[in-house]
Amino acid sequence: MRDVFVIGVGMTRLGKFPEVSMPDLARKAFVDAVKDAGIKPKEIEASFIGHVRQPGQGAMLGQRIMREVGVTGIPVLNVENICSSGSSAIWAASGFIASGQFDLAVVIGVEQLSILGKGVIPPRQEDLEGLQGATLPSYFAMVARRHMFEYGTTIEQLALVSIKNHRNGCLNPYAQFQKEVTYEEICNAPMVADPLTVLHCCPTGDGAAVAILASERIAKRVSSSPIRLAASVLKSGTYEGGWRDLTTNDQTRRASQEAYRIAGIGPEDLDLIELHDCFTIAEIYHYENLGLCKRGEGGRFIEEGKSELSGKVPVNPSGGLLAKGHPLGATGVAQVVEVVWQLRGQAGKRQVEKARVGLTHCLGGVIDGLDLGACTINILKR
Amino acid sequence: MERKQGPGLQADQTDQKKSGKRTIPLREGLFVMPSRPGEKPRLLGSRCRGCGKTTFPPRSVCSECYGEDLERVPLSAKGQLYTYTIIGYPAPGLTAPYAIGYVDLAEGVRVFSILTEWDQKGLKVGMEVELVLDKFREDKEGNEILTYKFRPLQEGRER
């Protein structure tokens, strides 16, 4: 298998843009990424679009985007894995390059949720839990309740995640929210599913992010120090009809352990992480799932400042899903965009010092009986 | 049949018969109604005759051994509340607040369920709960949709 490099990135600011079409959002990010890569669009050999097809939005979004950017005729694959769609598209593209089938591919993650209206994103109606009133936040609320019961994790520790990520968002011109939040504001916000208020939950929004992947031959042509995609791993949740331990996420552990092995590193080697903080409790238990600390110690990890921008391993310097936003298909690619900027020293006010190795973690979909649907880990090295 | 009152529930069967409205289970094959007075309703799981693995809801293929020889078995009527939440932003078509949780049954099964009587009795991780059948909501024709719920057997609040 050959090495794979990320040679160009771009993204739109994330937010609410109901008046812009998805192909237009994608085109803006595409143009930036192509310029950043220093390639000609016609050199692109394949296109992978990460996107969650919403009702009324039509099929083949990828082809419609490629028509807008003027690169047609090449293979286009539309990838859907709920919140992990964008990162799964990166996983797919990297496999095709590593195996030698292509030398240059573009990955576009895009979503537009603002036109769908307000409210929680529910599970599919054929799911027994969804039929009886489960929502995505309710699942994580129950994870939080059990984590608090087993490990003494506190609501204050959960709130620290929101405070940290909103503070980081202020330093990120691409973030949907660029305003700090206080503990009082978090507690007084409307309750979505006890104990999670609105400020414990990521927002819905729109945006696009693009990453251009290439083989070594092209990467060396356009850059003297290209960023290498050292590992890209995708795992689904395993079915468990019995007593699954909700305080841990098995597929994150499996996916990250395999990624560490492939990249030849351990969690202690990471300089920064962009992880899937769909809810505050998610960030807390992913510290544990990614091996940054022991089981149950996630609350203490953030309390001791270890995941701050100035901490031992900055987590979500971009503001994460909580503050930067979560347009589903765009997120996985936006995480890679952030890590690439960080590794190149281009992250401005939120720059992590001496960043050499970064990890992105993207996790999507609550399905009856499965852990969660899809977990993708990408490790990038300078 | 044991039926629990809940907010907004009119349990007058005579009225229902007159108006032609029916009681429909949320989904076929998930629970058995008691046939004798004093008998409790039970959830139906599937048990693999090959390896003994029991799951809920019932499956066609065993998740452990891939066997296809599965029998329907009634599950324990009581269990332990593994975790719960009270929902403020409801799922489409439902009215908040309502409570849901996961209940652990002795057969090694964990059941997702609506919780009832939580506002009176409180909720606490680990508390004992028991199965009841209750109205979930009405469908478009005004038929009553029946589902299973768990209610606390003791009083308890988290804080």
Side-chain angles (χ1 to χ4, degrees), chain A residues 194-279:
Chain A
D194 177 68
L196 303 178
T197 68
V198 156
L199 289 174
H200 284 270
C201 307
C202 65
T204 57
D206 315 331
V210 174
I212 300 185
L213 274 54
S215 63
E216 185 166 7
R217 180 178 65 81
I218 298 193
K220 290 268 151 81
R221 190 193 91 202
V222 301
S223 167
S224 54
S225 57
I227 305 297
R228 189 165 70 87
L229 183 58
S232 186
V233 175
L234 170 65
K235 296 284 182 204
S236 303
T238 48
Y239 177 81
E240 173 53 76
W243 294 358
R244 178 196 304 285
D245 184 350
L246 250 60
T247 64
T248 185
N249 183 247
D250 172 64
Q251 65 191 122
T252 293
R253 279 192 289 119
R254 284 185 292 124
S256 59
Q257 280 164 19
E258 183 169 314
Y260 293 142
R261 188 182 49 77
I262 292 170
I265 62 162
E268 65 282 358
D269 299 312
L270 297 173
D271 296 316
L272 73 136
I273 297 170
E274 285 280 312
L275 64 68
H276 204 80
D277 58 324
C278 44
F279 303 94

Coordinates of all heavy atoms in Angstrom, one line a residue, chain A residues 194-279:
Chain A
D194 N -32.4 15.6 30.1 CA -31.7 15.8 31.3 C -30.5 14.8 31.4 O -30.7 13.6 31.2 CB -32.7 15.5 32.4 CG -32.1 15.5 33.8 OD1 -31.6 16.6 34.2 OD2 -32.0 14.4 34.4
P195 N -29.3 15.2 31.8 CA -28.9 16.5 32.2 C -28.3 17.5 31.2 O -27.7 18.5 31.5 CB -27.7 16.2 33.2 CG -27.1 15.0 32.5 CD -28.2 14.2 31.9
L196 N -28.6 17.2 29.9 CA -28.0 18.0 28.8 C -28.9 19.2 28.4 O -29.9 19.0 27.8 CB -27.7 17.1 27.6 CG -26.8 15.9 27.9 CD1 -26.6 15.1 26.6 CD2 -25.4 16.3 28.4
T197 N -28.4 20.4 28.7 CA -29.1 21.6 28.1 C -28.6 21.8 26.7 O -27.7 21.2 26.2 CB -28.9 22.8 29.0 OG1 -27.5 23.2 28.8 CG2 -29.2 22.6 30.4
V198 N -29.3 22.8 26.1 CA -28.9 23.1 24.7 C -27.4 23.4 24.5 O -26.8 23.1 23.5 CB -29.7 24.4 24.2 CG1 -29.1 25.1 23.1 CG2 -31.1 23.9 23.8
L199 N -26.8 24.0 25.6 CA -25.4 24.4 25.5 C -24.4 23.2 25.8 O -23.2 23.3 25.7 CB -25.0 25.6 26.4 CG -25.6 26.9 25.8 CD1 -25.4 28.0 26.8 CD2 -25.0 27.2 24.5
H200 N -25.0 22.0 26.0 CA -24.2 20.8 26.1 C -24.3 20.1 24.8 O -23.7 19.0 24.6 CB -24.8 19.8 27.2 CG -24.5 20.2 28.6 ND1 -23.4 19.7 29.2 CD2 -25.2 21.0 29.5 CE1 -23.4 20.2 30.5 NE2 -24.5 21.0 30.6
C201 N -25.0 20.6 23.8 CA -25.3 19.9 22.5 C -24.7 20.7 21.4 O -24.8 22.0 21.4 CB -26.8 19.8 22.3 SG -27.7 19.0 23.7
C202 N -24.2 20.0 20.3 CA -23.8 20.7 19.2 C -25.0 21.3 18.4 O -26.1 20.7 18.5 CB -22.9 19.8 18.3 SG -23.8 18.5 17.6
P203 N -24.7 22.3 17.6 CA -25.8 23.0 16.8 C -26.0 22.2 15.5 O -25.2 21.4 15.1 CB -25.3 24.4 16.6 CG -23.8 24.2 16.4 CD -23.5 23.1 17.4
T204 N -27.1 22.6 14.8 CA -27.2 22.2 13.4 C -26.8 23.4 12.6 O -26.8 24.5 13.1 CB -28.7 21.8 13.0 OG1 -29.5 23.0 13.3 CG2 -29.2 20.6 13.8
G205 N -26.4 23.1 11.4 CA -25.9 24.2 10.6 C -25.5 23.7 9.2 O -25.8 22.6 8.8
D206 N -24.9 24.7 8.5 CA -24.5 24.4 7.1 C -23.0 24.6 6.9 O -22.4 25.4 7.7 CB -25.2 25.4 6.2 CG -26.7 25.5 6.5 OD1 -27.3 24.5 7.0 OD2 -27.2 26.6 6.2
G207 N -22.4 24.0 5.9 CA -21.1 24.3 5.5 C -20.5 23.3 4.7 O -21.1 22.2 4.4
A208 N -19.3 23.6 4.2 CA -18.5 22.6 3.3 C -17.1 22.6 3.7 O -16.5 23.7 4.0 CB -18.8 23.0 1.8
A209 N -16.4 21.5 3.5 CA -15.0 21.4 3.7 C -14.4 20.5 2.7 O -15.1 19.5 2.3 CB -14.7 20.9 5.1
V210 N -13.3 20.8 2.2 CA -12.7 20.0 1.1 C -11.2 19.6 1.4 O -10.5 20.4 2.0 CB -12.7 20.8 -0.2 CG1 -12.0 20.0 -1.3 CG2 -14.1 21.1 -0.6
A211 N -10.9 18.4 1.1 CA -9.5 17.9 1.3 C -9.1 17.3 0.0 O -9.8 16.5 -0.6 CB -9.3 17.0 2.4
I212 N -7.9 17.6 -0.5 CA -7.4 17.0 -1.7 C -6.3 16.0 -1.3 O -5.3 16.4 -0.7 CB -6.9 18.0 -2.7 CG1 -8.0 19.0 -3.0 CG2 -6.3 17.4 -3.9 CD1 -7.8 20.0 -4.1
L213 N -6.5 14.7 -1.7 CA -5.6 13.7 -1.3 C -4.7 13.3 -2.6 O -5.2 13.3 -3.7 CB -6.3 12.5 -0.8 CG -6.7 12.4 0.7 CD1 -7.5 13.7 1.1 CD2 -7.6 11.2 0.9
A214 N -3.5 12.9 -2.3 CA -2.6 12.6 -3.4 C -1.6 11.5 -3.1 O -1.3 11.3 -1.9 CB -1.9 13.9 -3.9
S215 N -1.0 10.9 -4.1 CA 0.1 10.0 -3.9 C 1.3 10.8 -3.7 O 1.4 12.0 -3.9 CB 0.2 9.1 -5.1 OG 0.5 9.9 -6.2
E216 N 2.4 10.1 -3.3 CA 3.7 10.7 -3.0 C 4.2 11.5 -4.2 O 4.8 12.6 -4.1 CB 4.7 9.7 -2.5 CG 6.0 10.3 -2.1 CD 6.8 9.3 -1.3 OE1 6.5 8.1 -1.3 OE2 7.9 9.7 -0.8
R217 N 4.0 10.9 -5.4 CA 4.6 11.5 -6.6 C 4.0 12.9 -6.8 O 4.8 13.9 -7.0 CB 4.2 10.6 -7.8 CG 4.7 11.1 -9.1 CD 4.3 10.2 -10.3 NE 2.8 10.1 -10.5 CZ 2.1 10.9 -11.2 NH1 2.6 12.0 -11.7 NH2 0.8 10.7 -11.3
I218 N 2.7 13.1 -6.6 CA 2.1 14.4 -6.8 C 2.4 15.3 -5.6 O 2.7 16.5 -5.7 CB 0.6 14.3 -7.0 CG1 0.4 13.5 -8.3 CG2 0.0 15.7 -7.0 CD1 -1.0 13.6 -8.8
A219 N 2.4 14.7 -4.4 CA 2.6 15.5 -3.2 C 4.0 16.1 -3.2 O 4.1 17.3 -2.8 CB 2.5 14.6 -1.9
K220 N 5.0 15.4 -3.6 CA 6.4 15.9 -3.6 C 6.5 17.0 -4.7 O 7.3 17.9 -4.6 CB 7.4 14.8 -3.9 CG 7.5 13.8 -2.7 CD 8.6 14.2 -1.8 CE 8.4 13.7 -0.3 NZ 8.7 12.3 -0.1
R221 N 5.7 16.9 -5.7 CA 5.7 17.9 -6.8 C 5.2 19.2 -6.3 O 5.7 20.3 -6.6 CB 4.9 17.4 -8.0 CG 5.0 18.3 -9.2 CD 3.9 17.9 -10.2 NE 2.7 18.7 -10.0 CZ 1.5 18.4 -10.4 NH1 1.3 17.3 -11.0 NH2 0.5 19.2 -10.2
V222 N 4.2 19.2 -5.4 CA 3.5 20.5 -5.0 C 4.0 21.0 -3.7 O 3.8 22.2 -3.3 CB 2.0 20.4 -5.0 CG1 1.5 20.0 -6.3 CG2 1.5 19.4 -3.9
S223 N 4.7 20.2 -2.9 CA 5.1 20.7 -1.6 C 6.4 20.1 -1.1 O 6.7 18.9 -1.4 CB 4.0 20.4 -0.5 OG 4.5 20.5 0.8
S224 N 7.2 20.8 -0.4 CA 8.5 20.3 0.1 C 8.2 19.5 1.4 O 9.0 18.6 1.8 CB 9.5 21.4 0.4 OG 8.9 22.3 1.3
S225 N 7.1 19.8 2.1 CA 6.8 19.0 3.3 C 5.3 18.7 3.4 O 4.6 19.3 4.2 CB 7.3 19.7 4.6 OG 6.7 21.0 4.7
P226 N 4.9 17.8 2.6 CA 3.4 17.5 2.5 C 3.0 16.8 3.8 O 3.8 16.1 4.4 CB 3.3 16.6 1.3 CG 4.6 16.0 1.1 CD 5.6 16.9 1.6
I227 N 1.7 17.0 4.2 CA 1.2 16.3 5.3 C 0.7 14.9 5.0 O 0.0 14.7 4.0 CB 0.0 17.1 5.9 CG1 0.3 18.5 6.1 CG2 -0.6 16.4 7.1 CD1 1.4 18.8 7.2
R228 N 1.2 13.9 5.7 CA 0.9 12.5 5.4 C -0.3 12.0 6.2 O -0.4 12.3 7.4 CB 2.1 11.6 5.6 CG 1.9 10.2 5.1 CD 3.3 9.5 5.0 NE 3.8 9.1 6.3 CZ 3.5 8.0 7.0 NH1 2.7 7.1 6.5 NH2 4.0 7.8 8.2
L229 N -1.2 11.3 5.5 CA -2.3 10.6 6.1 C -1.8 9.3 6.6 O -1.8 8.3 5.8 CB -3.5 10.5 5.2 CG -4.8 9.9 5.7 CD1 -5.3 10.7 6.9 CD2 -5.8 9.8 4.6
A230 N -1.3 9.2 7.8 CA -0.6 8.1 8.3 C -1.5 6.9 8.6 O -1.0 5.7 8.6 CB 0.2 8.4 9.5
A231 N -2.8 7.2 8.8 CA -3.7 6.1 9.1 C -5.1 6.6 8.8 O -5.4 7.7 9.1 CB -3.6 5.5 10.5
S232 N -6.0 5.7 8.3 CA -7.4 6.1 8.1 C -8.2 4.8 8.4 O -8.0 3.8 7.6 CB -7.7 6.6 6.7 OG -9.0 7.1 6.6
V233 N -8.9 4.8 9.4 CA -9.6 3.5 9.9 C -11.1 3.8 10.1 O -11.5 4.8 10.6 CB -9.0 3.0 11.2 CG1 -9.8 1.8 11.7 CG2 -7.5 2.6 11.0
L234 N -11.9 2.9 9.6 CA -13.4 3.0 9.7 C -13.9 1.7 10.4 O -13.5 0.6 10.0 CB -14.0 3.2 8.4 CG -15.6 3.1 8.3 CD1 -16.2 4.2 9.0 CD2 -16.0 3.1 6.8
K235 N -14.7 1.9 11.4 CA -15.3 0.7 12.1 C -16.8 1.0 12.3 O -17.2 2.1 12.5 CB -14.7 0.5 13.4 CG -13.2 0.1 13.4 CD -13.0 -1.3 13.0 CE -11.5 -1.7 13.1 NZ -11.2 -2.8 12.2
S236 N -17.6 -0.1 12.2 CA -19.0 0.0 12.6 C -19.2 -0.5 14.0 O -18.3 -1.2 14.6 CB -19.9 -0.8 11.7 OG -19.7 -0.4 10.4
G237 N -20.4 -0.2 14.6 CA -20.6 -0.7 16.0 C -21.0 -2.2 15.9 O -21.5 -2.6 14.9
T238 N -20.6 -2.9 16.9 CA -21.0 -4.3 17.0 C -22.4 -4.5 17.7 O -22.7 -3.7 18.6 CB -20.0 -5.1 17.8 OG1 -19.7 -4.4 19.0 CG2 -18.7 -5.3 17.1
Y239 N -23.1 -5.4 17.2 CA -24.5 -5.7 17.8 C -24.3 -6.3 19.1 O -23.5 -7.2 19.4 CB -25.3 -6.6 16.9 CG -26.6 -6.9 17.5 CD1 -27.7 -6.0 17.4 CD2 -26.8 -8.0 18.3 CE1 -28.9 -6.2 18.0 CE2 -28.1 -8.3 18.9 CZ -29.1 -7.4 18.7 OH -30.3 -7.6 19.3
E240 N -25.1 -5.8 20.1 CA -25.1 -6.4 21.4 C -26.5 -6.3 21.9 O -27.0 -5.2 22.2 CB -24.2 -5.6 22.3 CG -24.2 -6.0 23.8 CD -24.0 -7.5 24.0 OE1 -22.9 -8.0 23.9 OE2 -25.0 -8.2 24.2
G241 N -27.2 -7.5 22.0 CA -28.6 -7.5 22.5 C -28.7 -7.5 24.0 O -29.7 -7.4 24.5
G242 N -27.6 -7.6 24.7 CA -27.6 -7.8 26.1 C -27.2 -6.5 26.8 O -27.6 -5.4 26.5
W243 N -26.3 -6.6 27.8 CA -25.9 -5.5 28.6 C -24.7 -4.9 28.1 O -23.6 -5.1 28.6 CB -25.7 -6.0 30.1 CG -27.0 -6.5 30.7 CD1 -28.2 -6.6 30.2 CD2 -27.1 -7.1 32.0 NE1 -29.1 -7.1 31.0 CE2 -28.5 -7.5 32.2 CE3 -26.2 -7.3 33.0 CZ2 -28.9 -8.0 33.4 CZ3 -26.7 -7.9 34.2 CH2 -28.0 -8.2 34.4
R244 N -24.8 -3.9 27.2 CA -23.6 -3.2 26.7 C -23.3 -2.1 27.8 O -24.1 -1.5 28.3 CB -23.9 -2.5 25.4 CG -22.7 -1.7 24.9 CD -23.2 -0.7 23.8 NE -23.8 -1.4 22.7 CZ -23.2 -2.1 21.8 NH1 -21.9 -2.2 21.9 NH2 -23.9 -2.7 20.9
D245 N -22.0 -1.9 27.9 CA -21.5 -0.9 28.8 C -21.6 0.4 28.1 O -20.8 0.7 27.2 CB -20.1 -1.2 29.2 CG -19.5 -0.2 30.2 OD1 -20.2 0.8 30.5 OD2 -18.4 -0.5 30.7
L246 N -22.6 1.3 28.5 CA -22.8 2.5 27.8 C -21.7 3.6 28.2 O -21.7 4.7 27.6 CB -24.2 3.1 28.2 CG -25.2 3.0 27.0 CD1 -25.4 1.6 26.5 CD2 -26.5 3.6 27.4
T247 N -20.9 3.3 29.2 CA -20.0 4.4 29.7 C -18.7 4.3 28.8 O -17.8 5.1 29.1 CB -19.6 4.2 31.1 OG1 -18.9 2.9 31.3 CG2 -20.8 4.2 32.0
T248 N -18.6 3.5 27.8 CA -17.5 3.4 27.0 C -17.9 3.2 25.5 O -19.0 2.8 25.3 CB -16.5 2.3 27.4 OG1 -15.3 2.3 26.6 CG2 -17.2 0.9 27.2
N249 N -17.1 3.6 24.6 CA -17.5 3.4 23.2 C -16.5 2.5 22.5 O -15.4 2.9 22.2 CB -17.5 4.8 22.5 CG -18.0 4.6 21.0 OD1 -17.2 4.9 20.1 ND2 -19.2 4.2 20.8
D250 N -17.0 1.2 22.4 CA -16.1 0.2 22.0 C -15.5 0.4 20.6 O -14.3 0.2 20.3 CB -16.9 -1.1 22.0 CG -16.2 -2.3 21.3 OD1 -15.1 -2.6 21.9 OD2 -16.6 -2.8 20.3
Q251 N -16.3 1.0 19.7 CA -15.8 1.1 18.3 C -14.8 2.2 18.2 O -13.9 2.1 17.4 CB -17.0 1.3 17.3 CG -17.7 2.6 17.5 CD -19.0 2.6 16.6 OE1 -20.1 2.7 17.1 NE2 -18.9 2.4 15.3
T252 N -14.9 3.3 19.1 CA -13.8 4.3 19.1 C -12.5 3.6 19.6 O -11.4 3.9 19.0 CB -14.2 5.5 20.0 OG1 -15.3 6.2 19.4 CG2 -13.0 6.4 20.2
R253 N -12.6 2.8 20.6 CA -11.4 2.1 21.1 C -10.8 1.2 20.0 O -9.6 1.3 19.7 CB -11.8 1.3 22.4 CG -11.8 2.2 23.6 CD -11.8 1.4 24.9 NE -13.1 0.7 25.1 CZ -13.3 -0.6 25.2 NH1 -12.2 -1.4 25.1 NH2 -14.5 -1.1 25.4
R254 N -11.7 0.4 19.4 CA -11.1 -0.5 18.3 C -10.5 0.3 17.2 O -9.4 0.0 16.7 CB -12.3 -1.4 17.8 CG -12.7 -2.5 18.7 CD -13.7 -3.4 18.0 NE -15.0 -2.8 17.8 CZ -15.6 -2.7 16.7 NH1 -15.1 -3.1 15.5 NH2 -16.8 -2.1 16.6
A255 N -11.2 1.3 16.7 CA -10.8 2.1 15.5 C -9.5 2.8 15.9 O -8.5 2.8 15.1 CB -11.8 3.1 15.1
S256 N -9.4 3.4 17.1 CA -8.2 4.2 17.4 C -7.0 3.3 17.6 O -5.9 3.6 17.2 CB -8.5 5.1 18.6 OG -8.8 4.4 19.7
Q257 N -7.2 2.2 18.3 CA -6.1 1.2 18.5 C -5.5 0.7 17.2 O -4.3 0.7 17.1 CB -6.5 0.1 19.4 CG -6.6 0.5 20.9 CD -7.4 -0.5 21.7 OE1 -7.6 -1.6 21.4 NE2 -7.8 0.0 22.9
E258 N -6.4 0.5 16.3 CA -5.9 0.0 15.0 C -5.1 1.2 14.3 O -4.1 1.0 13.6 CB -7.0 -0.5 14.1 CG -6.6 -1.0 12.7 CD -7.7 -1.7 12.0 OE1 -8.4 -2.6 12.6 OE2 -7.8 -1.5 10.8
A259 N -5.7 2.4 14.4 CA -5.0 3.5 13.7 C -3.7 3.8 14.3 O -2.7 4.1 13.6 CB -5.9 4.8 13.8
Y260 N -3.6 3.7 15.7 CA -2.3 3.9 16.3 C -1.3 2.9 15.8 O -0.1 3.2 15.5 CB -2.4 3.8 17.8 CG -3.2 4.9 18.5 CD1 -4.1 4.5 19.6 CD2 -3.1 6.2 18.2 CE1 -4.8 5.5 20.3 CE2 -3.9 7.2 18.8 CZ -4.7 6.8 19.8 OH -5.5 7.8 20.5
R261 N -1.7 1.7 15.7 CA -0.8 0.6 15.2 C -0.3 0.9 13.8 O 0.9 0.8 13.5 CB -1.6 -0.8 15.3 CG -0.7 -2.0 15.1 CD -1.5 -3.3 15.1 NE -2.7 -3.3 14.3 CZ -2.7 -3.4 13.0 NH1 -1.6 -3.5 12.3 NH2 -3.9 -3.4 12.3
I262 N -1.3 1.2 12.9 CA -0.9 1.5 11.5 C 0.1 2.7 11.5 O 1.0 2.7 10.7 CB -2.1 1.8 10.7 CG1 -3.0 0.5 10.6 CG2 -1.8 2.3 9.3 CD1 -4.3 0.7 10.0
A263 N -0.2 3.7 12.2 CA 0.6 4.9 12.2 C 1.9 4.8 13.0 O 2.8 5.7 12.9 CB -0.2 6.1 12.7
G264 N 2.0 3.7 13.7 CA 3.2 3.5 14.5 C 3.4 4.5 15.7 O 4.5 4.9 16.1
I265 N 2.3 4.9 16.3 CA 2.3 5.8 17.4 C 1.4 5.3 18.5 O 0.6 4.4 18.4 CB 1.9 7.2 17.0 CG1 0.4 7.2 16.6 CG2 2.8 7.8 16.0 CD1 -0.2 8.6 16.6
G266 N 1.4 6.0 19.7 CA 0.5 5.8 20.7 C -0.2 7.1 21.1 O 0.2 8.1 20.5
P267 N -1.3 7.1 21.9 CA -2.0 8.3 22.2 C -1.1 9.4 22.8 O -1.4 10.6 22.7 CB -3.1 7.9 23.2 CG -2.7 6.5 23.6 CD -1.9 5.9 22.5
E268 N 0.0 8.9 23.5 CA 0.9 9.9 24.1 C 1.7 10.7 23.1 O 2.3 11.7 23.4 CB 1.8 9.2 25.1 CG 2.8 8.2 24.4 CD 2.2 6.9 24.1 OE1 1.0 6.6 24.3 OE2 2.9 6.0 23.5
D269 N 1.7 10.3 21.8 CA 2.4 11.0 20.8 C 1.6 12.0 20.1 O 2.1 12.8 19.3 CB 2.9 10.0 19.7 CG 3.8 8.9 20.3 OD1 4.8 9.3 21.0 OD2 3.6 7.7 20.1
L270 N 0.3 12.1 20.4 CA -0.5 13.1 19.7 C -0.3 14.5 20.2 O -0.2 14.8 21.4 CB -2.0 12.7 19.9 CG -2.4 11.4 19.4 CD1 -3.9 11.1 19.8 CD2 -2.3 11.4 17.8
D271 N -0.2 15.5 19.3 CA 0.0 16.9 19.7 C -1.3 17.6 19.7 O -1.5 18.6 20.4 CB 0.9 17.6 18.7 CG 2.3 17.0 18.7 OD1 2.9 16.8 19.8 OD2 2.9 16.8 17.6
L272 N -2.3 17.1 19.0 CA -3.6 17.7 19.0 C -4.7 16.7 18.5 O -4.3 15.7 17.8 CB -3.7 19.0 18.2 CG -3.8 18.8 16.7 CD1 -4.8 19.7 16.1 CD2 -2.4 19.1 16.1
I273 N -5.9 16.9 18.9 CA -7.0 16.0 18.5 C -8.2 16.8 18.2 O -8.6 17.8 18.9 CB -7.4 15.1 19.7 CG1 -6.2 14.2 20.1 CG2 -8.6 14.2 19.4 CD1 -6.4 13.4 21.3
E274 N -8.9 16.4 17.1 CA -10.2 17.0 16.8 C -11.1 15.8 16.9 O -11.1 14.9 16.1 CB -10.2 17.5 15.3 CG -9.5 18.9 15.2 CD -10.4 20.0 15.7 OE1 -11.6 20.1 15.3 OE2 -9.9 20.9 16.4
L275 N -11.9 15.8 18.0 CA -12.8 14.6 18.3 C -14.2 15.0 18.2 O -14.6 16.2 18.1 CB -12.4 13.9 19.6 CG -12.6 14.6 20.9 CD1 -14.0 14.9 21.3 CD2 -11.9 13.8 22.0
H276 N -15.1 14.0 18.3 CA -16.5 14.2 18.0 C -17.3 14.6 19.2 O -17.9 13.7 19.9 CB -17.1 12.9 17.4 CG -18.3 13.1 16.6 ND1 -18.2 13.5 15.3 CD2 -19.6 12.9 16.8 CE1 -19.4 13.6 14.8 NE2 -20.3 13.2 15.7
D277 N -17.2 15.9 19.6 CA -17.9 16.4 20.7 C -19.4 16.8 20.4 O -19.8 17.9 20.6 CB -17.2 17.5 21.3 CG -17.0 18.7 20.4 OD1 -16.8 18.4 19.2 OD2 -17.1 19.9 20.8
C278 N -20.1 15.8 19.9 CA -21.5 16.1 19.6 C -22.3 16.6 20.8 O -23.2 17.4 20.7 CB -22.2 14.9 18.9 SG -21.9 13.3 19.8
F279 N -21.9 16.1 22.0 CA -22.4 16.5 23.3 C -21.2 16.5 24.2 O -20.2 15.9 24.0 CB -23.5 15.5 23.8 CG -24.6 15.3 22.8 CD1 -24.6 14.3 21.8 CD2 -25.7 16.3 22.8 CE1 -25.6 14.2 20.9 CE2 -26.7 16.1 21.8 CZ -26.7 15.1 20.9

